[in-house]
Amino acid sequence: MASNAKPPPESPKQREESVSSDRAATDPVDTDPAAQPLNVTKSDSEKETKNQIFISFSFKALDKAEYLKKKIEESLGLGTCWICKERVEVGQGIRDEIAKAMGLAKVVICAISKEYTNSIECQREVNLASELKKTLIPVLLDDVQWPLMKSDGVPSGMAYIFADMLYQKFFSENSADREVDLDGLINTLKGKLGSQPDPVPTPDPVPTPDPVPPLKPESDGSQPDPVPTPDPVPTPDPVPPLKPESDDKMLTFIRELKETGRTLYDKIQPIPYIKDKLYSVDKVFIEVGIEHRVEQGSWKTLSSYYGIFSVAKGSSRIQIIEGDPGYGKSTLALQLVYDWCNEVSDSPFSRPDILICLNLRQLGGMESIAKAIRQFALPRDSSLERHDVEQLINRNINILVIFDAYDEYPDQHSVDNFVKEILEEKILRHVDILLTTRSSCIPHAISSQTGRIRLTGFDEAAREKYVRKAVTGDDEEAVQKILEQFNINPILGDICQAPLFSAMYAHLAHEENMPHEIRSVTEFFGHMITCFHNHAQNKLSESGKSIEHLLTHANTHAALDKLAFEALTGKMQQLVWDQTLFIRELGEDFYKLYVDVGILVEDEVYDIALGKVAQLKKVVRFYHKLFCEWYAAYHLIKCVKSFRSWFYNFTKNIDPYDLQFVFRFACGLDQAGGSKVVKLVRKKEDGARFAVLCALELKGGSHDILTTVRGIVSSVIRIDSNDSRLLQRSTIQLLELASQHKIPISEVRLLESFSSVDPDSLSLVLHSGLCLPSLSTLQELVIVTEPGREVTVDEWTGILNYTKRCQLLKSLQLGFCLLPWMDSFPTSLDNVKVSWDPMVDDHEYTLQSGRWQNRSGEILTRGAYDDLVTKFREVLQHLRLAEAKESRERMK
């Protein structure tokens, strides 16, 4: 049975040494230096391969385990496997040896016999391997039941750990089958250890007679003649050997990529204006929630970013990492660079031969990736030229390229660019690609096989970890003070689901008093901008200088607003500007203030024209794209208020959600203009959901706000399981506001977001933990559960009781679920149309006089209901089997 198709990447040293080791056993001595592997000695290779595989087994199956070890080492070399031949019970020292060996191993083989699942020691070894994030490969020594069961028929605790894994067989009685099973295991191990899998067998070549050795001169006695050895069977080199000059260039390339990488990850600024506090990414990085897309578009949680490439779909070597603004996409990219540069032992991202990180906002007009690497990923004084880079990245080695911030890529809409060619796998098909982007800006060029990863932000635990790690240290009083502010205001907590907002708020709250009565993202961001300017003014006041010009520039920034808006809405999002042109446009005093405040950031890049020497060039950008969107929002409001037809024509060619924060900030900055924005956004296709976020930013008179709310709730309101907590909470707030002011709510749809019913408040509890209270003006409620859900009697009773409180309710619909049998229904439902579609064949039922009836008017009897239950579960089982089969095929 096949294991995961894609092995983890390997480090340069591991690949070089494994190649050297493989060749040492088969290749003749080659005096041509160009044919030698990359600076590796045989002793280094032997050290690298020793004890890479830990074999866990029950002592009662020692003979089988030793035979398995023997067969593996026949293919991978003596000493590859570590196996304990002493009973653990003899003393703690053996356990220490086991723990030490497992810590050093790359792969843990669980050699599962009939006795394995009942062994406490084996369970401990499996648990330890899982905790250490070792690559686990279950190998069945006996024909045992899968998933694993104990002798009493109860599932083993190991079954949970092995739930998503595929096993290898090693028990076939037929010797031919056993060899096939062994070949599959060996190839899997080679992949996991970084060796090349065995090539497809080819017919043996026609033997040729050995050449007659040339006559040798008489020995002078100083050197004995070498003992002749038989010619080995030729095998293809997994990696073409490097010539001496290429060898030097490759080593230079790797060294300089790491040198540049360190300059990237060593200058994190959580608060832009505090320039003397720069952090290395590993000092501030906290893992955010992370999910990968599986069958039928649903998402499954990953325990760590380490699993990004292990969930690769199909044969694609491309992964998209998406997330909302401020959700840590670029910080994650820098953490991967850190892992590679520092060869973090347990990170799979330390193992590529080459890792290159390019920020796409810098690559507008760049005609080739080789030029981009030379200009932005190598030092200015590098001896490597563009053609050297091109040759090096086209070698058959393990390369990972990270394209960061695709949503800021100026050429994303152009027909012809090298990034598009790479994503379409027209060039560099051997290279692994990670591309980060906002969820609203997924490249059109990707295939259906492309892997999708989604960042879901900070939860409360992650927020606390960040505060302790990067802000307060061991100061428990300071920790609790900051966390208390998050807890006082749930809306603030939801806003700070975005790690960028959470980090800024935590640092600012630690430095000075921060308000916790924040009701919108606009209020939050506006207060941060005010803090930045106040800090600059305080510094100037302390030095005795006038702050009048600072106050003027802080409040008057129309030129910057227009520049930011045009950059975001133009055909090419040009978010990096030449410093000289930028100063000419805005003025030197204004420019210097905004750089000092930290809103603008200066960079130096090397402009390399063809055939010319690299020239140092200064450029300027916003600290984060969200700051660009903040100032662009001012210009949007100005245009909306000044030109009535302008907004309609403007939104014809764009999706407002692509610039969601420009629109949301605009609504929060100006009440009159914001109301117009909400009204116009709502007219867009599926605009009601986005209009909710915009409406909650509005400030001003209650009449204007209620007019906006009335317009929104006249359309369908959706609460989706994939919505962020902020969007869900905003939607609930708007629905409550409508209900309190007797505004009719047309329809609410809960799309796989319903979890349960709170028996005390009779609120509908969502999977996010938020609650939807009863809405007196709700007219139609639709609950679509996750496929195959069986609603309990308590849940169904709770839903019916919830509807009693919705006084204007006319319709209740449920879908994709199995409702429990009930002999009677509340009479209060007589005025409500209740329908149920379990999605089984053509079954759809309506409640009539306390009985379910199908479309033909036939009453659903208890016997017919029992048949429906059987059919429902059969359909669900077929669905799960189909998904499992698709998952297995994908991993193959």
mmCIF file of all heavy atoms in Angstrom, residues 97 126 141 191 224 252 293 297 301 385 599 609 695 779 803:
data_model
loop_
_atom_site.group_PDB
_atom_site.id
_atom_site.type_symbol
_atom_site.label_atom_id
_atom_site.label_comp_id
_atom_site.label_asym_id
_atom_site.label_seq_id
_atom_site.Cartn_x
_atom_site.Cartn_y
_atom_site.Cartn_z
ATOM 1 N N GLU A 97 17.998 5.035 26.527
ATOM 2 C CA GLU A 97 18.593 4.733 25.226
ATOM 3 C C GLU A 97 17.552 4.811 24.106
ATOM 4 O O GLU A 97 17.810 5.313 23.015
ATOM 5 C CB GLU A 97 19.231 3.333 25.246
ATOM 6 C CG GLU A 97 20.516 3.252 26.041
ATOM 7 C CD GLU A 97 21.605 4.131 25.465
ATOM 8 O OE1 GLU A 97 21.812 4.082 24.241
ATOM 9 O OE2 GLU A 97 22.205 4.904 26.237
ATOM 10 N N VAL A 126 5.022 5.055 20.455
ATOM 11 C CA VAL A 126 4.203 5.729 19.440
ATOM 12 C C VAL A 126 3.860 7.149 19.908
ATOM 13 O O VAL A 126 3.943 8.108 19.131
ATOM 14 C CB VAL A 126 2.913 4.927 19.151
ATOM 15 C CG1 VAL A 126 1.969 5.729 18.248
ATOM 16 C CG2 VAL A 126 3.247 3.601 18.500
ATOM 17 N N LEU A 141 3.411 -6.474 10.439
ATOM 18 C CA LEU A 141 4.131 -7.744 10.422
ATOM 19 C C LEU A 141 3.171 -8.925 10.397
ATOM 20 O O LEU A 141 3.547 -10.032 10.001
ATOM 21 C CB LEU A 141 5.038 -7.848 11.656
ATOM 22 C CG LEU A 141 6.110 -6.759 11.822
ATOM 23 C CD1 LEU A 141 6.951 -7.063 13.057
ATOM 24 C CD2 LEU A 141 6.994 -6.665 10.593
ATOM 25 N N GLY A 191 12.336 8.143 0.098
ATOM 26 C CA GLY A 191 11.719 9.459 -0.027
ATOM 27 C C GLY A 191 11.778 10.225 1.280
ATOM 28 O O GLY A 191 12.099 11.414 1.309
ATOM 29 N N PRO A 224 52.039 -0.006 -3.614
ATOM 30 C CA PRO A 224 51.554 -1.310 -4.093
ATOM 31 C C PRO A 224 50.494 -1.098 -5.159
ATOM 32 O O PRO A 224 49.775 -0.111 -5.168
ATOM 33 C CB PRO A 224 50.939 -1.951 -2.829
ATOM 34 C CG PRO A 224 50.567 -0.776 -1.982
ATOM 35 C CD PRO A 224 51.569 0.289 -2.269
ATOM 36 N N THR A 252 28.475 29.266 -3.081
ATOM 37 C CA THR A 252 28.354 30.716 -2.947
ATOM 38 C C THR A 252 26.894 31.137 -2.963
ATOM 39 O O THR A 252 26.456 31.988 -2.165
ATOM 40 C CB THR A 252 29.106 31.417 -4.095
ATOM 41 O OG1 THR A 252 30.487 31.077 -4.026
ATOM 42 C CG2 THR A 252 28.951 32.938 -4.000
ATOM 43 N N ARG A 293 -7.304 22.810 2.535
ATOM 44 C CA ARG A 293 -8.554 22.468 1.863
ATOM 45 C C ARG A 293 -8.532 21.009 1.447
ATOM 46 O O ARG A 293 -7.559 20.511 0.873
ATOM 47 C CB ARG A 293 -8.777 23.353 0.633
ATOM 48 C CG ARG A 293 -10.208 23.287 0.111
ATOM 49 C CD ARG A 293 -10.473 24.303 -0.946
ATOM 50 N NE ARG A 293 -9.730 24.009 -2.167
ATOM 51 C CZ ARG A 293 -9.908 24.672 -3.305
ATOM 52 N NH1 ARG A 293 -10.761 25.677 -3.354
ATOM 53 N NH2 ARG A 293 -9.197 24.376 -4.371
ATOM 54 N N GLY A 297 -14.232 21.163 -1.165
ATOM 55 C CA GLY A 297 -14.056 22.536 -0.740
ATOM 56 C C GLY A 297 -14.059 22.774 0.752
ATOM 57 O O GLY A 297 -13.983 23.916 1.195
ATOM 58 N N THR A 301 -8.192 21.272 9.878
ATOM 59 C CA THR A 301 -7.161 21.935 10.676
ATOM 60 C C THR A 301 -5.825 21.197 10.594
ATOM 61 O O THR A 301 -5.769 19.968 10.648
ATOM 62 C CB THR A 301 -7.603 22.025 12.144
ATOM 63 O OG1 THR A 301 -8.826 22.767 12.214
ATOM 64 C CG2 THR A 301 -6.543 22.720 12.990
ATOM 65 N N GLU A 385 26.338 36.213 -11.496
ATOM 66 C CA GLU A 385 25.600 37.001 -12.467
ATOM 67 C C GLU A 385 24.281 36.313 -12.776
ATOM 68 O O GLU A 385 24.034 35.182 -12.367
ATOM 69 C CB GLU A 385 26.442 37.189 -13.731
ATOM 70 C CG GLU A 385 27.752 37.940 -13.457
ATOM 71 C CD GLU A 385 28.566 38.156 -14.725
ATOM 72 O OE1 GLU A 385 28.028 37.907 -15.830
ATOM 73 O OE2 GLU A 385 29.739 38.547 -14.605
ATOM 74 N N ILE A 599 4.856 55.179 9.415
ATOM 75 C CA ILE A 599 3.806 54.837 8.458
ATOM 76 C C ILE A 599 4.425 54.497 7.107
ATOM 77 O O ILE A 599 3.944 53.622 6.389
ATOM 78 C CB ILE A 599 2.801 56.002 8.347
ATOM 79 C CG1 ILE A 599 2.036 56.131 9.667
ATOM 80 C CG2 ILE A 599 1.833 55.789 7.184
ATOM 81 C CD1 ILE A 599 1.177 57.381 9.761
ATOM 82 N N ALA A 609 20.407 46.852 -14.661
ATOM 83 C CA ALA A 609 20.036 46.890 -16.071
ATOM 84 C C ALA A 609 20.931 45.929 -16.829
ATOM 85 O O ALA A 609 22.061 45.647 -16.420
ATOM 86 C CB ALA A 609 20.170 48.309 -16.609
ATOM 87 N N ALA A 695 -21.512 48.526 7.146
ATOM 88 C CA ALA A 695 -22.523 49.203 7.964
ATOM 89 C C ALA A 695 -22.097 49.298 9.416
ATOM 90 O O ALA A 695 -22.383 50.293 10.099
ATOM 91 C CB ALA A 695 -23.857 48.471 7.848
ATOM 92 N N GLN A 779 -38.501 36.589 9.479
ATOM 93 C CA GLN A 779 -39.596 36.008 8.709
ATOM 94 C C GLN A 779 -39.289 34.608 8.186
ATOM 95 O O GLN A 779 -40.208 33.804 8.020
ATOM 96 C CB GLN A 779 -39.939 36.931 7.529
ATOM 97 C CG GLN A 779 -40.440 38.299 7.981
ATOM 98 C CD GLN A 779 -40.678 39.249 6.830
ATOM 99 O OE1 GLN A 779 -40.090 39.106 5.763
ATOM 100 N NE2 GLN A 779 -41.541 40.235 7.041
ATOM 101 N N THR A 803 -38.082 29.027 17.547
ATOM 102 C CA THR A 803 -38.997 29.627 16.570
ATOM 103 C C THR A 803 -40.209 30.271 17.246
ATOM 104 O O THR A 803 -40.796 31.201 16.700
ATOM 105 C CB THR A 803 -39.479 28.573 15.560
ATOM 106 O OG1 THR A 803 -40.214 27.548 16.252
ATOM 107 C CG2 THR A 803 -38.306 27.949 14.825
#
